[in-house]
Structure formats: structure tokens, C-alpha cells
Amino acid sequence: MKAKYKSELAELAGVSYSTFYRFLCTRREVLESMGCRLKDQKVKGNALNYICHEYGITLPEESPEPVRKHIKFR
């Protein structure tokens, strides 16, 4: 799972960024124990899973990048 910006998560949750940030502040100790500081712009790994579970956010499926064939240079 790729990292997400906090602003993207707030949008997916349907709340403003300031409301989302206040939610994160109430869980500061848990997030910091997972290695996610509140001032970081991106959330990744276990912290992202925790936030999505606690806030009820469903992440959209990400389509994998297409595989590009090797072009032989002349």
C-alpha cells in the first residue's frame, strides 16, 4: 500500500483537514509509536491502516502501473 497525504485522507473521510487533524491529535501517542509524527504530510504503513480502520476510510483500489517493454536503442 502506498503512502497517502493527510489531505487526501481527509477528503476520503468527507471532513475538512482541520477536523481530520484534530482527530489525529487525539491519537497522537498511538501514531507516534507507529512512527508517524503529526507534522508529517504523508502517512504510510501501519499508521495508514490504523487511521483507515479507526475513521472508517475505504481507500480506492490503485491500478498497477503498466509494464513498459524495453526499447532497444540504436
Side-chain angles (χ1 to χ4, degrees), residues 20-33:
F20 188 72
Y21 188 79
R22 280 184 292 202
F23 162 77
L24 295 178
C25 287
T26 62
R27 286 147 174 88
R28 177 187 304 256
E29 292 177 4
V30 176
L31 292 173
E32 286 181 351
S33 70

Side-chain angles (χ1 to χ4, degrees), residues 5-24:
Y5 285 100
K6 289 180 185 176
S7 58
E8 289 177 325
L9 292 173
E11 187 177 313
L12 289 171
V15 297
S16 68
Y17 180 78
S18 59
T19 301
F20 188 72
Y21 188 79
R22 280 184 292 202
F23 162 77
L24 295 178

Side-chain angles (χ1 to χ4, degrees), residues 29-44:
E29 292 177 4
V30 176
L31 292 173
E32 286 181 351
S33 70
M34 294 180 190
C36 176
R37 297 180 314 167
L38 290 180
K39 296 196 179 203
D40 292 342
Q41 288 185 354
K42 286 189 173 183
V43 180
K44 58 185 173 183

